[in-house]
Amino acid sequence: MPDTSSIKISTELKYQLNSLKVHPRETYNDLIGRLVSHARESQPPTQIPLIYVRVRGEIRELADPIMLCVEIEDREYILYNHAYRLLAVAPDLREGLMEITAEFETNWEDFVERDESDLTDGALQFRRKLLLLVHGES
């Protein structure tokens, strides 16, 4: 049997938990595990705005913030924005934001600083999207 511990709960809470059991013989461990899993799945990711990025080594303010979804799984932060092809997994939020900024800069190099003739139609659209985000670029 895996490591276990005892917890104290009120009689009222015990009755509430009993009413949530799938079947009368379901253990409290299984019940609480199911409730925790459901709570995690039903919570939408937190969103934070990315306002500043690095372009050619210079910090630039975006015309419109990029909304990053932030999830925590297995004590790691997962930051992403699919529309701007950004993804980072890090042990803390600070490092995750640094990785996202590096991802943005890599996208800039790959799509904006590359010769247009080397880009597909989809890549050209993404290039225009990046250019619109950064003040003073066209």
Side-chain angles (χ1 to χ4, degrees):
M1 181 175 206
D3 291 338
T4 60
S5 66
S6 296
I7 60 171
K8 291 185 179 187
I9 59 173
S10 69
T11 305
E12 182 181 330
L13 180 57
K14 184 178 177 182
Y15 288 127
Q16 289 175 345
L17 287 172
N18 284 336
S19 72
L20 296 173
K21 287 184 173 185
V22 175
H23 55 80
R25 297 171 80 186
E26 183 178 23
T27 66
Y28 290 112
N29 189 69
D30 291 343
L31 171 63
I32 292 169
R34 185 167 47 81
L35 293 173
V36 167
S37 176
H38 177 71
R40 280 188 183 148
E41 291 171 5
S42 65
Q43 286 183 344
T46 301
Q47 291 197 340
I48 60 172
L50 179 65
I51 300 170
Y52 297 97
V53 294
R54 189 179 326 111
V55 174
R56 294 185 210 114
E58 179 184 327
I59 301 297
R60 305 284 297 270
E61 184 176 355
L62 296 176
D64 293 305
I66 296 173
M67 294 310 292
L68 298 173
C69 292
V70 180
E71 297 181 29
I72 301 173
E73 186 174 307
D74 297 328
R75 295 189 295 209
E76 289 195 304
Y77 286 80
I78 304 166
L79 292 82
Y80 61 91
N81 179 293
H82 297 299
Y84 289 99
R85 303 176 186 186
L86 300 172
L87 172 66
V89 178
D92 59 58
L93 194 53
R94 180 182 176 277
E95 190 173 320
L97 288 169
M98 289 172 55
E99 287 184 30
I100 285 290
T101 301
E103 286 269 322
F104 186 92
E105 191 167 28
T106 299
N107 284 344
W108 187 270
E109 291 166 1
D110 291 346
F111 293 95
V112 176
E113 294 182 0
R114 180 174 281 174
D115 188 328
E116 285 187 44
S117 63
D118 293 340
L119 300 175
T120 64
D121 289 340
L124 286 169
Q125 288 176 353
F126 187 60
R127 173 193 176 119
R128 284 189 282 280
K129 195 174 184 176
L130 292 174
L131 287 167
L132 287 172
L133 272 179
V134 179
H135 293 293
E137 299 291 334
S138 55

